[in-house]
Amino acid sequence: MKHFNLEGIGMTSRRTRDRLVQRLRSNGIVDERVLDTIAAVPRHIFVDEALAHRAYEDSALPIGHGQTISQPYLVAAMTAALLAGGDGPPGRVLEIGTGSGYQTAILASLVAEVYSIERIAGLLERARDRLRALGVRNVQLKHGDGNSGWPAKAPFDAVMVTAGASHIPDAVMDQMADGAHLVIPVGKGDVKDLKRLRKSGDAWRQETLDQVRFVPLVRGIAR
Ligand code: SAH
C-alpha cells in the first residue's frame, strides 16, 4: 500500500482486520480500493492503547475532548461516496474534522493530496504524530475552524466533512472547483442526512445517501 511504512509498528493480526473488511463487505461496501485501504491502515494506532483491542470492531470509539473516531462503516461509505462522485480519484481533498487522523490516513492512500482541518489543537497534534509514524507524506494539517475552509489551498476537487453540520458552510462551497463534490452529514436534528453534492457551474446536484449520527460541527477553535 503506497504511503505506508508499517515496519516497527506493533500491529494487531491481519486476520482481525480481514474480519472487519468482511463485515463492511456484508454491510454493502463494494469499493475494493476502499476495502483494501481499510485492511492496510492500522486503526489501533489511532485510539488510546486501552481501547486498541476494540479498534477493529465496527464502532465509533472515544478519542478524548468529547470526540470520537468515526465508525469504520461510515469511514468506508463516505470514502467510497467521495471516490465515486467524480470522474477519477480526486487530486486535492479537503477534510474538515481531522479528529484521530484515521479518515485522513485512509484518504491519503487513495488521493494525491489531503488538507485536513481540526479545531481542537490537542487532537490535531496527536493526529500529526500518528500520521508521521505511519510515514504518510501527502497530508497537510491545520488548526482552525473548518467552517472557513482553507482559502490558501483552494480550490479543492473534493471535500469531506466528518462532523455533523446544521447547514453547509458557504466558505467551503466557494472553495470547491467546478465538478468537485462534497460529502457531508447535514441536517437540523441529531440524525443527519449524509449528502453528496456536486458543483457544476452555479448549479448543485445533491443526493442523500444515508441517515447518520456524528459529533457536531461547531464554531471556533480550542486547545
Ligand atoms: N475523521 C475523524 C472524525 C473525528 S469526529 C476520525 O475518524 O477520527 C469529528 C471531528 O471534527 C472532531 O475531532 C471535532 O473536534 C472536529 N470538528 C468539529 N467542528 C469542527 C470545525 N468547525 N472545524 C474543524 N474541526 C471540527
Side-chain angles (χ1 to χ4, degrees):
M1 180 65 43
K2 66 171 177 158
H3 304 311
F4 290 103
N5 170 14
L6 302 178
E7 274 171 64
I9 292 170
M11 294 197 294
T12 58
S13 78
R14 175 77 198 194
R15 209 148 50 100
T16 311
R17 281 192 264 167
D18 285 344
R19 254 198 313 269
L20 171 61
V21 167
Q22 227 24 67
R23 184 182 167 120
L24 298 179
R25 211 189 281 281
S26 61
N27 286 340
I29 305 297
V30 296
D31 189 320
E32 295 297 330
R33 293 164 301 176
V34 172
L35 292 169
D36 284 351
T37 307
I38 299 260
V41 177
R43 189 169 184 256
H44 66 277
I45 75 153
F46 292 89
V47 297
D48 282 345
E49 240 171 280
L51 287 171
H53 66 290
R54 298 188 53 198
Y56 301 97
E57 292 174 11
D58 189 20
S59 54
L61 294 169
I63 54 172
H65 301 265
Q67 307 302 317
T68 56
I69 181 172
S70 304
Q71 181 193 353
Y73 172 78
L74 285 175
V75 171
M78 289 171 74
T79 306
L82 199 83
L83 295 180
D87 304 324
R92 300 163 59 79
V93 176
L94 174 67
E95 177 192 25
I96 297 175
T98 316
S100 65
Y102 177 66
Q103 171 77 72
T104 320
I106 298 281
L107 286 170
S109 82
L110 292 163
V111 308
E113 284 167 49
V114 182
Y115 299 87
S116 185
I117 307 174
E118 170 58 54
R119 66 177 291 275
I120 300 174
L123 289 178
L124 188 75
E125 291 322 314
R126 277 155 71 191
R128 196 187 296 285
D129 290 344
R130 292 168 179 140
L131 294 167
R132 190 176 294 137
L134 282 176
V136 177
R137 298 194 194 288
N138 56 334
V139 170
Q140 290 186 47
L141 300 176
K142 175 183 158 102
H143 181 219
D145 182 347
N147 285 293
S148 309
W150 194 337
K153 304 293 183 184
F156 301 101
D157 303 315
V159 180
M160 182 187 290
V161 180
T162 68
S166 57
H167 65 279
I168 300 170
D170 287 338
V172 171
M173 293 175 91
D174 291 345
Q175 291 169 29
M176 290 169 58
D178 195 30
H181 40 282
L182 164 68
V183 174
I184 183 171
V186 62
K188 295 292 166 218
D190 280 353
V191 178
K192 308 290 188 192
D193 292 329
L194 180 61
K195 290 198 175 187
R196 177 169 60 197
L197 288 86
R198 185 182 166 95
K199 183 177 192 169
S200 93
D202 290 335
W204 292 87
R205 201 188 61 205
Q206 54 166 299
E207 319 155 64
T208 299
L209 308 171
D210 209 341
Q211 306 287 306
V212 294
R213 275 175 195 278
F214 267 89
V215 296
L217 183 77
V218 296
R219 294 209 157 270
I221 58 171
R223 295 319 304 172

